[in-house]
Amino acid sequence: MGNLVVVGADGSSSSLAAVGTAAREAQRRRAALRVVYAINWPVRPMYAPLDTTPLNRLISEAADHARRVAPEVTVTEAMLPGDTVSVLEAESRTADLLVVGARGTGGFIGMLLGSTAASLAAHSPCPVMVAREEPADAGPIVLCVDGSPAGEAAVEFAFAEAALRGAEISAVHVWPPDHAPAGTGVEIPERLLAQALAGHAQTHPDVTVRREVASGETREVLIERSRNAQLVVVGARGRGGFTGLLLGSVSQALLHHAHSSVVVVRGGTQSDVP
């Protein structure tokens, strides 16, 4: 883990909750926190004055909230011109974690139900956490495992996060019944799950891992597992049951319907992103 967590603020209750979540994440990592507001002004007459007083107050209140949540964390704040996605994506290039609220106002209009969260998850170089307004502080970290090379980054993130939180990992691989090779039962998916986790348990010996091979519809299984989780961690895209994860139905379902906060971790390089 590194030295900077970035959080988007817009004055909504959702973003304020995200600021609190980001402050706790920065505290766990012994990192600094940067609170960012994207100023996307509508077209206005050239002679009209630019009054940023309300925005200054808004971002100062968000930063003060972060300091109350985690007094020992160094908190800075910034108002930057541009649309929300572009501003936060640029900020994420020097961050170890980007945190955004599930919904918002102003720069974050339609955050969860629109394209902002998905766009950030698709293109941000660092992991993106979409925080719920009432994040859970108990329960396991649900790790969605598909065995793909791209999913390796999600596995690494989940183990590191579990160590920071003192949480268990519930590693779930969903195997659609109609995809199972004849006569193999669950042998192949169990082996895939074990191989995906191999080595990480040795790196993080204090993290308890519970493995589960589930049969069913991937979205439904993962949403149900999120009910008792404090966090769901998923790769940007995968194979098998997770084919087209980020831009397909599974990731969209998690961003929309997971009961816990969700972290999307993208593996590879920026050029890998479709």
Side-chain angles (χ1 to χ4, degrees):
M1 295 300 175
N3 299 314
L4 181 64
V5 174
V6 172
V7 61
D10 69 352
S12 68
S13 60
S14 181
S15 79
L16 194 62
V19 168
T21 295
R24 287 184 286 272
E25 289 296 328
Q27 179 175 281
R28 292 185 182 108
R29 291 163 167 73
R30 298 181 180 178
L33 176 65
R34 182 168 166 86
V35 183
V36 177
Y37 186 97
I39 306 175
N40 192 11
W41 289 100
V43 176
R44 59 189 180 86
M46 292 182 61
Y47 56 81
L50 181 61
D51 183 8
T52 61
T53 301
L55 300 183
N56 286 325
R57 183 164 55 248
L58 181 153
I59 197 167
S60 293
E61 289 174 353
D64 289 343
H65 176 63
R67 295 183 183 101
R68 288 192 295 271
V69 171
E72 65 275 31
V73 171
T74 299
V75 180
T76 58
E77 55 204 73
M79 290 191 304
L80 302 173
D83 67 273
T84 303
V85 172
S86 296
V87 168
L88 292 181
E89 182 185 339
E91 289 289 307
S92 73
R93 296 180 182 278
T94 57
D96 301 285
L97 180 68
L98 172 63
V99 183
V100 292
R103 292 179 297 276
T105 58
F108 290 132
I109 288 176
M111 162 67 86
L112 184 59
L113 301 179
S115 61
T116 303
S119 294
L120 288 170
H123 300 294
S124 295
C126 72
V128 176
M129 176 182 290
V130 179
R132 297 302 188 249
E133 288 197 37
E134 297 181 1
D137 57 4
I141 291 177
V142 172
L143 169 61
C144 309
V145 178
D146 70 343
S148 69
E152 175 69 13
V155 176
E156 292 178 1
F157 180 92
F159 271 87
E161 186 73 13
L164 290 172
R165 293 177 178 233
E168 292 184 351
I169 289 179
S170 175
V172 182
H173 174 65
V174 184
W175 191 263
D178 56 349
H179 287 188
T184 62
V186 295
E187 179 184 353
I188 286 180
E190 284 183 342
R191 185 163 65 245
L192 181 151
L193 182 56
Q195 290 173 346
L197 301 174
H200 296 281
Q202 288 74 23
T203 305
H204 299 279
D206 296 332
V207 175
T208 299
V209 182
R210 303 188 186 281
R211 304 177 186 177
E212 177 187 4
V213 172
S215 178
E217 206 285 321
T218 306
R219 292 167 295 179
E220 293 178 1
V221 170
L222 297 179
I223 291 169
E224 181 60 29
R225 298 300 183 274
S226 76
R227 287 184 181 276
N228 300 315
Q230 58 179 289
L231 191 67
V232 173
V233 178
V234 64
R237 60 185 182 276
R239 65 186 183 193
F242 291 97
T243 298
L245 176 61
L246 181 61
L247 301 179
S249 60
V250 175
S251 63
Q252 292 296 330
L254 286 171
L255 290 176
H256 283 262
H257 303 297
H259 301 279
S260 66
S261 297
V262 177
V263 176
V264 177
V265 185
R266 188 174 64 79
T269 64
Q270 186 71 12
S271 61
D272 296 331
V273 180

